[in-house]
Amino acid sequence: MHVIASFHYSTYIEIALAELEQQGIDRRRLIAVPLDSRPSGRAMFDTLHRSDGGSLLDAGMALGAAVSVVTASLGMTLAWGPVYWGLIGAAGGFAVGFAIDLTLSRRRRRRNARKKGAEVVVVVDCEPTEADRVTETLWRHQALGVAVVS
């Protein structure tokens, strides 16, 4: 029977493995495999076939619409008229909103990249009578997920 668990790379893995060895599970029946992180960063813009659910256009569109309404109404009294000033306001509002969204998404991505390290998969070969004790030990040491395969 195999018990498979995944962990964030931390000292909890070492503590869990040491505790499993103290419980009588031989070191040769334990396997810890670190997974490689993604080599390249995420794509900045979505394509037709792939999307990560985030959009850089939302804030730009909303700010562009709001600023175009205000500048069009102000354009009634200005020299070029409401149409030109509405278009100028839409372009300016979109550019500012896009820049804000781009800056915030880069900060978020950088912060998440620092937080998330690589994961480690731990495989324990054990007897069916030991499976409950092993899963309990792995959960207690902050496993992300545990599965029992018979």
Side-chain angles (χ1 to χ4, degrees):
M1 177 167 277
H2 298 289
V3 178
I4 303 168
S6 66
F7 290 87
H8 281 299
Y9 189 77
S10 67
T11 57
Y12 292 108
I13 303 164
E14 299 294 332
I15 296 170
L17 294 177
E19 187 172 324
L20 288 173
E21 285 180 18
Q22 288 176 354
Q23 291 175 1
I25 296 176
D26 189 27
R27 180 177 287 214
R28 289 174 285 175
R29 293 172 37 197
L30 300 172
I31 300 172
V33 181
L35 301 177
D36 292 333
S37 297
R38 172 176 259 168
S40 63
R42 289 177 31 203
M44 182 61 75
F45 295 103
D46 295 336
T47 63
L48 181 64
H49 303 290
R50 279 191 24 226
S51 176
D52 61 357
S55 174
L56 293 175
L57 301 178
D58 292 343
M61 291 293 188
L63 202 56
V67 172
S68 70
V69 168
V70 172
T71 54
S73 64
L74 291 175
M76 295 287 202
T77 60
L78 298 174
W80 288 355
V83 174
Y84 284 128
W85 283 108
L87 291 173
I88 291 169
F94 177 80
V96 170
F98 182 80
I100 290 171
D101 227 359
L102 186 64
T103 304
L104 291 178
S105 71
R106 280 187 179 172
R107 283 185 185 165
R108 244 181 270 127
R109 191 176 319 126
R110 200 175 302 134
R111 190 177 322 126
N112 289 342
R114 262 187 269 137
K115 270 193 233 177
K116 284 176 32 179
E119 288 190 20
V120 177
V121 176
V122 175
V123 180
V124 181
D125 183 25
C126 63
E127 300 298 323
T129 57
E130 299 172 320
D132 289 336
R133 188 169 34 108
V134 169
T135 56
E136 179 184 324
T137 302
L138 295 173
W139 279 121
R140 198 171 51 243
H141 293 289
Q142 298 186 0
L144 298 175
V146 176
V148 178
V149 180
S150 53

Coordinates of all heavy atoms in Angstrom, one line a residue, residues 3-42:
V3 N 1.1 5.5 0.4 CA 0.5 6.7 0.9 C 1.3 7.8 0.2 O 2.5 7.9 0.4 CB 0.5 6.9 2.4 CG1 -0.1 8.2 2.9 CG2 -0.2 5.7 3.1
I4 N 0.6 8.7 -0.5 CA 1.2 9.8 -1.3 C 0.7 11.1 -0.7 O -0.4 11.3 -0.5 CB 0.9 9.6 -2.8 CG1 1.3 8.3 -3.3 CG2 1.5 10.7 -3.6 CD1 0.7 7.9 -4.6
A5 N 1.7 12.0 -0.5 CA 1.4 13.3 0.1 C 2.2 14.4 -0.7 O 3.3 14.1 -1.1 CB 1.6 13.4 1.6
S6 N 1.6 15.6 -0.7 CA 2.4 16.7 -1.3 C 2.5 17.8 -0.2 O 1.6 18.0 0.6 CB 1.7 17.3 -2.5 OG 0.4 17.8 -2.2
F7 N 3.7 18.4 -0.2 CA 4.0 19.5 0.7 C 4.6 20.7 0.0 O 5.2 20.5 -1.1 CB 5.1 19.0 1.7 CG 4.7 17.9 2.7 CD1 4.7 16.6 2.4 CD2 4.2 18.3 4.0 CE1 4.3 15.6 3.3 CE2 3.9 17.3 4.9 CZ 3.9 16.0 4.5
H8 N 4.5 21.8 0.6 CA 5.3 22.9 0.2 C 6.7 22.7 0.8 O 6.8 22.0 1.8 CB 4.8 24.3 0.8 CG 3.7 24.9 0.0 ND1 3.7 25.2 -1.3 CD2 2.4 25.2 0.4 CE1 2.6 25.7 -1.7 NE2 1.8 25.7 -0.6
Y9 N 7.7 23.1 0.1 CA 9.1 22.8 0.5 C 9.3 23.5 1.8 O 9.4 24.8 1.8 CB 10.1 23.2 -0.6 CG 11.5 22.8 -0.2 CD1 11.9 21.4 -0.5 CD2 12.4 23.6 0.3 CE1 13.1 21.0 -0.2 CE2 13.7 23.2 0.6 CZ 14.0 21.9 0.4 OH 15.3 21.5 0.7
S10 N 9.4 22.8 2.9 CA 9.7 23.4 4.2 C 10.3 22.4 5.2 O 10.5 21.2 4.8 CB 8.3 23.9 4.8 OG 7.5 22.8 5.1
T11 N 10.5 22.8 6.4 CA 11.1 21.9 7.4 C 10.0 20.8 7.9 O 10.4 19.8 8.5 CB 11.6 22.6 8.6 OG1 10.6 23.4 9.1 CG2 12.8 23.5 8.2
Y12 N 8.8 21.1 7.6 CA 7.7 20.1 8.1 C 7.9 18.8 7.4 O 7.5 17.7 8.0 CB 6.3 20.7 7.8 CG 6.0 21.9 8.6 CD1 5.9 23.1 8.1 CD2 5.8 21.7 10.0 CE1 5.6 24.2 8.9 CE2 5.4 22.8 10.8 CZ 5.4 24.1 10.2 OH 5.1 25.1 11.0
I13 N 8.5 18.7 6.2 CA 8.7 17.5 5.5 C 9.7 16.6 6.3 O 9.5 15.5 6.5 CB 9.2 17.7 4.1 CG1 8.3 18.6 3.3 CG2 9.5 16.4 3.4 CD1 8.9 19.2 2.1
E14 N 10.8 17.3 6.7 CA 11.8 16.6 7.4 C 11.3 16.1 8.8 O 11.6 15.0 9.2 CB 13.0 17.5 7.7 CG 13.7 18.0 6.4 CD 14.4 16.9 5.7 OE1 14.8 15.9 6.3 OE2 14.5 17.0 4.4
I15 N 10.5 16.9 9.4 CA 9.9 16.5 10.7 C 9.0 15.3 10.5 O 9.0 14.3 11.3 CB 9.2 17.7 11.4 CG1 10.2 18.8 11.7 CG2 8.4 17.2 12.6 CD1 9.5 20.1 12.1
A16 N 8.2 15.3 9.4 CA 7.2 14.2 9.2 C 8.0 13.0 8.9 O 7.6 11.9 9.4 CB 6.3 14.6 8.0
L17 N 9.0 13.0 8.0 CA 9.8 11.8 7.7 C 10.5 11.3 8.9 O 10.6 10.1 9.1 CB 10.8 12.2 6.6 CG 10.2 12.5 5.2 CD1 11.3 12.9 4.2 CD2 9.3 11.4 4.7
A18 N 11.1 12.1 9.8 CA 11.7 11.7 11.0 C 10.7 11.0 11.9 O 11.0 9.9 12.5 CB 12.4 12.8 11.7
E19 N 9.5 11.5 12.0 CA 8.5 10.9 12.9 C 8.1 9.6 12.3 O 7.8 8.6 13.0 CB 7.3 11.8 13.0 CG 6.3 11.4 14.0 CD 5.2 12.4 14.3 OE1 5.5 13.6 14.4 OE2 4.1 11.9 14.5
L20 N 7.9 9.5 11.0 CA 7.6 8.2 10.4 C 8.7 7.1 10.6 O 8.4 6.0 10.9 CB 7.3 8.4 8.9 CG 6.1 9.1 8.5 CD1 6.0 9.4 7.0 CD2 4.8 8.3 8.9
E21 N 9.9 7.5 10.6 CA 11.0 6.6 10.9 C 11.0 6.2 12.3 O 11.2 5.0 12.6 CB 12.4 7.2 10.6 CG 12.7 7.3 9.1 CD 14.0 8.0 8.8 OE1 14.9 8.1 9.7 OE2 14.2 8.4 7.7
Q22 N 10.6 7.1 13.2 CA 10.5 6.7 14.7 C 9.3 5.8 14.9 O 9.4 5.0 15.8 CB 10.3 8.0 15.5 CG 11.5 8.8 15.6 CD 11.3 10.1 16.4 OE1 10.1 10.4 16.7 NE2 12.3 10.8 16.7
Q23 N 8.3 5.8 14.0 CA 7.2 4.9 14.2 C 7.5 3.5 13.6 O 6.6 2.7 13.6 CB 5.9 5.5 13.4 CG 5.4 6.8 14.1 CD 4.3 7.4 13.3 OE1 3.9 6.9 12.3 NE2 3.7 8.5 13.8
G24 N 8.7 3.4 13.0 CA 9.0 2.0 12.6 C 9.0 1.8 11.1 O 9.2 0.7 10.6
I25 N 8.8 2.8 10.3 CA 8.8 2.7 8.9 C 10.3 2.9 8.4 O 10.9 3.9 8.7 CB 7.9 3.7 8.2 CG1 6.4 3.4 8.6 CG2 8.0 3.7 6.7 CD1 5.4 4.3 8.1
D26 N 10.8 1.9 7.7 CA 12.2 1.9 7.3 C 12.4 3.1 6.3 O 11.5 3.4 5.5 CB 12.5 0.6 6.6 CG 14.0 0.5 6.4 OD1 14.8 1.1 7.1 OD2 14.4 -0.3 5.4
R27 N 13.6 3.6 6.3 CA 14.0 4.8 5.4 C 13.9 4.4 4.0 O 13.6 5.2 3.1 CB 15.4 5.2 5.8 CG 15.9 6.4 5.0 CD 17.2 6.9 5.4 NE 17.0 7.6 6.7 CZ 17.8 8.6 7.0 NH1 18.7 9.0 6.3 NH2 17.6 9.2 8.2
R28 N 14.1 3.1 3.7 CA 14.1 2.6 2.3 C 12.7 2.6 1.7 O 12.5 2.5 0.5 CB 14.7 1.3 2.2 CG 16.2 1.3 2.3 CD 16.8 -0.1 2.4 NE 16.5 -0.6 3.7 CZ 16.7 -1.9 4.0 NH1 17.3 -2.7 3.2 NH2 16.4 -2.3 5.2
R29 N 11.7 2.7 2.6 CA 10.3 2.7 2.2 C 9.7 4.1 2.1 O 8.5 4.3 1.8 CB 9.4 1.9 3.2 CG 9.8 0.4 3.1 CD 9.2 -0.5 4.1 NE 7.8 -0.1 4.5 CZ 7.3 -0.5 5.6 NH1 7.9 -1.3 6.5 NH2 6.0 -0.2 5.9
L30 N 10.6 5.1 2.2 CA 10.2 6.5 2.1 C 10.8 7.2 0.9 O 12.0 7.0 0.7 CB 10.6 7.3 3.4 CG 10.0 6.9 4.7 CD1 10.7 7.6 5.8 CD2 8.5 7.1 4.7
I31 N 10.1 7.9 0.1 CA 10.6 8.6 -1.0 C 10.1 10.0 -1.0 O 8.9 10.2 -0.8 CB 10.2 8.0 -2.4 CG1 10.7 6.5 -2.4 CG2 10.7 8.8 -3.5 CD1 10.1 5.8 -3.6
A32 N 11.0 11.0 -1.1 CA 10.6 12.4 -1.1 C 11.2 13.0 -2.4 O 12.4 13.0 -2.6 CB 11.1 13.2 0.1
V33 N 10.4 13.5 -3.3 CA 10.8 14.0 -4.6 C 10.4 15.4 -4.8 O 9.2 15.8 -4.8 CB 10.1 13.1 -5.8 CG1 10.6 13.6 -7.1 CG2 10.4 11.7 -5.6
P34 N 11.4 16.3 -4.9 CA 11.0 17.7 -5.1 C 10.7 18.0 -6.5 O 11.3 17.5 -7.4 CB 12.3 18.5 -4.7 CG 13.4 17.5 -4.9 CD 12.8 16.1 -4.6
L35 N 9.6 18.7 -6.8 CA 9.2 19.1 -8.1 C 9.9 20.3 -8.6 O 10.0 21.3 -7.8 CB 7.7 19.2 -8.2 CG 6.8 18.0 -7.7 CD1 5.4 18.3 -7.8 CD2 7.1 16.8 -8.6
D36 N 10.2 20.4 -9.8 CA 10.8 21.6 -10.4 C 9.8 22.7 -10.5 O 8.6 22.4 -10.9 CB 11.5 21.4 -11.7 CG 12.7 20.5 -11.6 OD1 13.3 20.5 -10.5 OD2 13.0 19.7 -12.6
S37 N 10.2 24.0 -10.3 CA 9.2 25.1 -10.6 C 9.2 25.4 -12.0 O 10.0 24.9 -12.8 CB 9.8 26.3 -9.8 OG 9.8 26.1 -8.5
R38 N 8.1 26.1 -12.4 CA 8.0 26.5 -13.8 C 9.2 27.3 -14.3 O 9.5 28.3 -13.6 CB 6.7 27.3 -14.0 CG 6.5 27.9 -15.3 CD 5.2 28.6 -15.4 NE 4.3 27.7 -16.2 CZ 3.1 27.8 -16.3 NH1 2.5 28.8 -15.7 NH2 2.3 27.0 -17.0
P39 N 9.8 26.9 -15.3 CA 11.1 27.6 -15.8 C 10.8 29.0 -16.3 O 11.6 29.9 -16.1 CB 11.6 26.7 -16.8 CG 10.5 25.9 -17.3 CD 9.6 25.8 -16.2
S40 N 9.7 29.3 -16.9 CA 9.5 30.6 -17.5 C 8.3 31.2 -16.8 O 7.4 30.5 -16.3 CB 9.2 30.5 -19.0 OG 8.0 29.8 -19.2
G41 N 8.2 32.5 -16.7 CA 7.1 33.2 -16.1 C 5.8 33.1 -16.9 O 5.8 32.6 -18.0
R42 N 4.7 33.5 -16.3 CA 3.5 33.4 -17.0 C 3.4 34.4 -18.1 O 4.1 35.4 -18.1 CB 2.3 33.8 -16.0 CG 2.1 32.7 -15.0 CD 1.1 33.0 -14.0 NE 0.0 33.8 -14.5 CZ -0.7 34.6 -13.7 NH1 -0.5 34.6 -12.4 NH2 -1.7 35.3 -14.2

